[in-house]
Amino acid sequence: MNREEKKRATRQKIIDCALELFAENGYEATTVHQITERAGVAKGTFFNYFENKEEVLCDLQLFIATEEISKLQYKQGPIIPLMRELLMEMLRHLPFNRSLILASFQCTLSNKKLLESATVKFEEFKQVLIPVIAAAQARGEISSVMPAEMIADLAVQNYQGALIYWGMGLGEDKLSNQVTLSFELFFKGLAP
Amino acid sequence: MNREEKKRATRQKIIDCALELFAENGYEATTVHQITERAGVAKGTFFNYFENKEEVLCDLQLFIATEEISKLQYKQGPIIPLMRELLMEMLRHLPFNRSLILASFQCTLSNKKLLESATVKFEEFKQVLIPVIAAAQARGEISSVMPAEMIADLAVQNYQGALIYWGMGLGEDKLSNQVTLSFELFFKGLAP
Amino acid sequence: MNREEKKRATRQKIIDCALELFAENGYEATTVHQITERAGVAKGTFFNYFENKEEVLCDLQLFIATEEISKLQYKQGPIIPLMRELLMEMLRHLPFNRSLILASFQCTLSNKKLLESATVKFEEFKQVLIPVIAAAQARGEISSVMPAEMIADLAVQNYQGALIYWGMGLGEDKLSNQVTLSFELFFKGLAP
Amino acid sequence: MNREEKKRATRQKIIDCALELFAENGYEATTVHQITERAGVAKGTFFNYFENKEEVLCDLQLFIATEEISKLQYKQGPIIPLMRELLMEMLRHLPFNRSLILASFQCTLSNKKLLESATVKFEEFKQVLIPVIAAAQARGEISSVMPAEMIADLAVQNYQGALIYWGMGLGEDKLSNQVTLSFELFFKGLAP
DNA sequence: GATGAATGAGGCTTCATTCAT
DNA sequence: CATGAATGAAGCCTCATTCAT
């Protein structure tokens, strides 16, 4: 392992331990000392990699894989399989651990910058969905009683709701099942 | 205003200011000093009413009106109007303010006791819903392709999802609209 | 019980409870709130009887009964029975409780005024003893190899040593035995 | 001075200043701020070395040098010179300062853990003395009218009494004289 | 005289961050 | 780059004391 690799490994170790601890005790209740202790590095090392405690949050994988979403707009075909595929893709980027999901939300809510960025991401997600939904409505695949924007809103809300609900320890055993079920019902409601 | 009334007023003033500040800056970032300053009382007064900072949280109105829910099980009639009525009733107990809603979630997620109690409340909510849903399925009002328990899960998730989504500043202007729309689609998906 | 008696009773109740608590937790660690709670009165009542917390200490029976001591100088006869009598008299004014004895010392040591006053009392005690001892030496009752002042010092130290040693839970079961034994040996050492 | 030495120096500086201040104002009346100020370090530094304020007390040299005492049991010869030697050895470990001695007692009495540990030490001291005394009695060096255990009790009490009496500003100018005189009389009383 | 809510100074302790080694 | 001792601002909380009822 050369120098560059070692650095990346240290950085990742810190991030992982930080998120673990955030999941256990929450962001504010977690101290830099705890993080470095668990990561097996000195306290000063933390600040070699991050300007300050808050900055670790920026490396947190949020619940939205922006890249996957942006690919959606170039895809063709019926909306329901498309959405299923997208959801599965997004889930692949999420931790399969309730506490970690919940910790992500907790961090997001307790940090203005993170909250802002999450809101923006949700909004972007919605903006990508709108034309896809509108097209599906035009093709008659889904009902047109609601405007596409409203449907997009409800879709994003549904996604987020499933995550947080599951993160709290409720619902299905596997997150993917929880999300799948939610959208199954969602699309049934949208039947033309 | 007699002594007893004054006490209650002081206590309520503290709670109100606390929630306000939690909404503005988050729970952890809010100091007891800020709370008492805004409430116009001395710092020590706070601790005459609450054992410690954490304890104000227990007096926070959460997003679930347990009483309203428990009444549901004694009611009769078709499920959809019943649920609509229940939702409206619950919304009446919520703050009509996005930050306050979000602050409630933030507090809940950043506090183990509160999280536990919220989870329990959601679970109770679900348990009350299950027989109501099962009865509606038996009467053929809603689809039976999903077991009642699963539907109850999704209903609670839907409710919570709408709150947090709206709290983040997304969706409809009015919370009641956001919740109503969510459940409109939800029930459409459940059509037999 | 008339008004005056009631007042005295309340005052005494407060003092008793205070000393009890001092014995349990020490002077500093005991709060006025604890005292009034145990005494069954309101916090304000405490300050109707005492200017401040420190003042309760002034009512503490210290380990030296000044009156008894001052009587000594007018008494006649051989020193040993005289001293025995004095000791017994002084013990009669002490609490028969190790913690209480220890608490008295603790209070004395943790309070400058009290420490000063205790030192003064010991000094007075010594001053009363000196002529009595000198006279006994003159009568040949006790050895003259040590000056009377030195003997007086050792006597007072012996008395105090027995109290604190016993207060710490060591030595004889009964305080009077501990003191008696100490002085038995003390006088043996003084045999001419 | 390397890093490790510096650490030890800082720690010792804190302890020394703490004891100084305890002697001046008592344990409770001394604040961590005062200690660190006098030691010339930041307030936080104190807590790098001690978990909390109470913990400095554990590093305080108490009035009993346990090691010296335990050596006693392996020594031979007449008891009186042996005891003199032991006393001198123990005094060598004590501060030659009345306030410091008194502060030690004050701390001991105001802290349950410390009190417990002091009591245990006195008890150990006694247990070491008992066989030595019994042997001296068997050899006819000292009187057998009192059981060895009782004599040991009185010896320890005598030692402690001398310390506290001197600490209060009474008795001889030098502590060693006060202790020596006490034990001179003590052993005279024990003459066979 | 009794009450106990209100006060606020001041203590202990935490912890992100710096920096010399 | 790693280390961890040092920093000090800032928070929580305690508690003696006051005073209106």
Side-chain angles (χ1 to χ4, degrees):
Chain A
M1 189 151 60
N2 67 22
R3 199 154 186 180
E4 208 54 41
E5 276 169 348
K6 225 175 180 173
K7 271 174 65 178
R8 225 168 334 126
T10 304
R11 183 188 177 84
Q12 196 55 49
K13 182 88 190 142
I14 292 173
I15 293 174
D16 291 348
C17 295
L19 189 51
E20 254 178 60
L21 283 159
F22 294 165
E24 287 169 27
N25 310 314
Y27 170 68
E28 295 280 359
T30 299
T31 70
V32 172
H33 177 71
Q34 286 170 345
I35 297 172
T36 54
E37 195 173 36
R38 185 171 295 194
V41 298
K43 212 170 354 165
T45 304
F46 182 93
F47 293 93
N48 289 335
Y49 288 94
F50 303 94
E51 279 282 309
N52 50 47
K53 184 185 163 191
E54 199 180 340
E55 221 181 59
V56 215
L57 292 179
C58 302
D59 281 65
L60 243 61
Q61 287 304 332
L62 285 181
F63 358 89
I64 295 220
T66 323
E67 286 187 36
E68 306 309 322
I69 292 170
S70 57
K71 285 185 205 154
L72 183 67
Q73 50 198 317
Y74 307 115
K75 293 197 175 157
Q76 302 286 335
I79 190 169
I80 295 183
L82 219 61
M83 284 294 293
R84 282 214 181 101
E85 192 190 331
L86 172 66
L87 289 170
M88 286 309 107
E89 197 56 47
M90 287 172 67
L91 290 175
R92 209 168 301 150
H93 293 268
L94 288 176
F96 300 115
N97 176 312
R98 297 188 194 247
S99 322
L100 248 39
I101 292 270
L102 209 59
S104 291
F105 273 103
Q106 209 247 75
C107 292
T108 306
L109 297 190
S110 56
N111 184 273
K112 284 206 164 140
K113 270 190 262 176
L114 225 52
L115 179 59
E116 177 60 25
S117 118
T119 311
V120 168
K121 279 190 173 182
F122 281 137
E123 190 60 39
E124 285 169 6
F125 189 7
K126 199 179 117 186
Q127 293 309 326
V128 172
L129 285 182
I130 291 175
V132 178
I133 293 170
Q137 286 179 319
R139 291 194 306 269
E141 285 173 37
I142 58 177
S143 156
S144 291
V145 295
M146 274 187 190
E149 188 185 344
M150 204 175 267
I151 295 173
D153 255 327
L154 293 177
V156 178
Q157 172 198 306
N158 207 31
Y159 175 67
Q160 185 195 231
L163 289 192
I164 201 170
Y165 192 71
W166 187 79
M168 286 178 79
L170 301 161
E172 296 294 307
D173 279 348
K174 292 176 64 181
L175 174 58
S176 57
N177 288 349
Q178 185 70 21
V179 172
T180 306
L181 279 173
S182 292
F183 276 91
E184 204 165 301
L185 192 60
F186 182 79
F187 284 120
K188 237 183 229 159
L190 285 178
Chain B
M1 189 151 61
N2 69 19
R3 214 156 179 193
E4 208 55 38
E5 279 167 350
K6 227 176 187 168
K7 251 180 86 176
R8 232 170 324 133
T10 304
R11 184 190 178 84
Q12 196 55 49
K13 183 90 190 136
I14 292 173
I15 293 175
D16 291 347
C17 295
L19 188 52
E20 256 177 58
L21 283 159
F22 294 165
E24 287 170 27
N25 311 315
Y27 169 68
E28 297 277 0
T30 300
T31 70
V32 172
H33 178 69
Q34 285 171 349
I35 297 172
T36 54
E37 197 172 35
R38 184 171 294 195
V41 297
K43 207 160 10 147
T45 303
F46 181 93
F47 295 97
N48 287 339
Y49 288 94
F50 304 96
E51 286 273 311
N52 48 50
K53 185 185 162 190
E54 197 181 338
E55 226 185 48
V56 217
L57 292 179
C58 301
D59 280 66
L60 250 56
Q61 286 303 333
L62 285 180
F63 3 89
I64 293 219
T66 322
E67 284 187 38
E68 305 310 322
I69 292 170
S70 58
K71 284 185 205 155
L72 181 68
Q73 52 198 318
Y74 307 114
K75 292 197 175 159
Q76 302 286 336
I79 190 169
I80 295 182
L82 219 61
M83 285 294 292
R84 283 214 180 100
E85 190 190 331
L86 172 66
L87 289 170
M88 287 307 109
E89 196 55 47
M90 286 173 69
L91 290 175
R92 208 168 303 152
H93 293 268
L94 288 177
F96 300 115
N97 176 312
R98 297 189 196 246
S99 315
L100 250 38
I101 293 270
L102 209 60
S104 290
F105 274 103
Q106 208 244 76
C107 292
T108 306
L109 297 191
S110 56
N111 183 273
K112 285 203 166 145
K113 269 188 268 175
L114 225 52
L115 179 58
E116 175 62 22
S117 118
T119 310
V120 167
K121 277 188 172 185
F122 281 138
E123 189 61 40
E124 285 169 7
F125 189 6
K126 198 179 116 184
Q127 293 309 325
V128 172
L129 285 181
I130 291 176
V132 178
I133 293 169
Q137 286 179 319
R139 289 194 306 269
E141 286 173 35
I142 58 177
S143 155
S144 292
V145 294
M146 274 187 191
E149 189 185 343
M150 204 176 267
I151 295 173
D153 255 326
L154 293 176
V156 177
Q157 172 197 306
N158 207 32
Y159 174 68
Q160 186 197 231
L163 288 192
I164 201 169
Y165 192 71
W166 186 80
M168 285 177 80
L170 301 161
E172 297 293 307
D173 278 349
K174 291 178 63 182
L175 174 57
S176 57
N177 287 349
Q178 185 70 20
V179 172
T180 306
L181 279 173
S182 291
F183 275 91
E184 206 164 299
L185 191 60
F186 182 79
F187 283 120
K188 240 184 225 155
L190 284 178
Chain C
M1 190 152 61
N2 67 22
R3 199 153 186 183
E4 208 53 40
E5 278 168 349
K6 225 174 181 174
K7 271 175 66 178
R8 226 169 332 127
T10 303
R11 184 188 178 84
Q12 196 54 49
K13 183 87 190 142
I14 291 174
I15 293 175
D16 291 348
C17 295
L19 189 52
E20 256 178 58
L21 283 159
F22 294 165
E24 288 169 26
N25 310 315
Y27 170 67
E28 294 281 359
T30 299
T31 69
V32 172
H33 177 70
Q34 285 170 345
I35 297 171
T36 54
E37 196 173 34
R38 184 170 296 193
V41 298
K43 207 158 17 149
T45 304
F46 181 94
F47 293 94
N48 289 336
Y49 288 95
F50 304 94
E51 278 283 307
N52 49 47
K53 183 185 164 191
E54 199 180 341
E55 220 181 60
V56 214
L57 291 179
C58 302
D59 280 66
L60 243 61
Q61 286 305 333
L62 286 179
F63 359 88
I64 295 220
T66 323
E67 286 187 37
E68 306 309 322
I69 292 170
S70 57
K71 285 185 205 156
L72 183 67
Q73 50 197 318
Y74 308 114
K75 293 197 174 159
Q76 302 287 334
I79 191 169
I80 296 184
L82 218 62
M83 285 294 293
R84 282 215 181 101
E85 192 190 330
L86 172 66
L87 289 170
M88 287 308 108
E89 197 56 47
M90 286 172 68
L91 291 175
R92 209 168 300 150
H93 293 268
L94 288 177
F96 301 114
N97 176 310
R98 297 189 195 245
S99 320
L100 249 38
I101 292 271
L102 209 59
S104 292
F105 274 103
Q106 209 247 72
C107 292
T108 306
L109 297 191
S110 56
N111 184 274
K112 284 205 164 141
K113 270 191 262 176
L114 224 52
L115 178 59
E116 177 61 26
S117 117
T119 310
V120 167
K121 279 191 172 181
F122 281 137
E123 190 60 40
E124 285 168 7
F125 188 7
K126 197 179 119 185
Q127 294 309 325
V128 171
L129 284 181
I130 291 176
V132 178
I133 292 169
Q137 286 179 318
R139 291 194 305 268
E141 286 173 35
I142 59 177
S143 156
S144 291
V145 294
M146 274 186 190
E149 188 184 344
M150 205 176 267
I151 295 173
D153 256 326
L154 293 176
V156 178
Q157 172 198 306
N158 207 33
Y159 175 67
Q160 186 195 230
L163 288 192
I164 201 169
Y165 192 71
W166 187 80
M168 286 178 78
L170 301 161
E172 297 293 306
D173 279 349
K174 291 177 65 182
L175 174 58
S176 57
N177 288 349
Q178 184 70 21
V179 172
T180 306
L181 280 172
S182 291
F183 276 91
E184 203 165 299
L185 192 61
F186 182 80
F187 284 120
K188 238 183 227 157
L190 286 178
Chain D
M1 188 152 61
N2 69 18
R3 215 160 179 190
E4 206 56 38
E5 279 167 351
K6 226 176 188 170
K7 250 180 87 175
R8 230 170 326 133
T10 305
R11 184 190 177 84
Q12 196 55 48
K13 184 91 190 135
I14 292 173
I15 293 175
D16 291 347
C17 294
L19 188 52
E20 256 178 58
L21 283 158
F22 293 166
E24 288 169 26
N25 311 315
Y27 169 68
E28 297 279 359
T30 300
T31 70
V32 172
H33 178 70
Q34 286 170 348
I35 297 172
T36 54
E37 197 173 34
R38 183 171 296 194
V41 297
K43 204 154 19 138
T45 303
F46 181 94
F47 294 96
N48 288 338
Y49 288 94
F50 304 95
E51 285 274 310
N52 48 49
K53 185 185 162 191
E54 195 181 340
E55 226 185 47
V56 217
L57 293 179
C58 302
D59 280 67
L60 250 56
Q61 287 304 332
L62 285 181
F63 3 88
I64 293 219
T66 322
E67 284 187 39
E68 305 310 321
I69 291 170
S70 59
K71 284 184 204 155
L72 182 68
Q73 52 198 317
Y74 307 114
K75 292 195 174 158
Q76 301 287 335
I79 191 169
I80 295 183
L82 219 62
M83 284 295 292
R84 283 216 180 98
E85 191 190 331
L86 172 66
L87 289 171
M88 287 308 107
E89 197 57 47
M90 286 173 68
L91 289 176
R92 207 168 301 152
H93 293 267
L94 286 177
F96 300 114
N97 177 310
R98 297 189 195 246
S99 316
L100 250 39
I101 293 270
L102 209 60
S104 290
F105 274 102
Q106 209 243 75
C107 291
T108 306
L109 297 192
S110 56
N111 182 273
K112 284 203 167 144
K113 268 188 266 174
L114 225 52
L115 179 59
E116 175 62 23
S117 118
T119 311
V120 167
K121 278 187 172 184
F122 281 137
E123 190 60 39
E124 284 169 8
F125 190 7
K126 198 179 116 185
Q127 293 309 326
V128 172
L129 286 182
I130 290 176
V132 178
I133 293 170
Q137 286 180 319
R139 290 194 306 268
E141 286 172 35
I142 57 175
S143 156
S144 291
V145 294
M146 274 187 191
E149 189 186 343
M150 204 176 269
I151 295 173
D153 254 327
L154 293 176
V156 178
Q157 172 198 306
N158 207 32
Y159 174 68
Q160 186 197 230
L163 289 191
I164 200 168
Y165 191 71
W166 187 80
M168 285 177 79
L170 301 161
E172 297 294 307
D173 278 349
K174 291 177 64 183
L175 174 58
S176 57
N177 289 349
Q178 185 70 20
V179 172
T180 306
L181 280 174
S182 291
F183 275 91
E184 207 165 297
L185 192 61
F186 183 79
F187 283 120
K188 241 185 225 154
L190 285 179

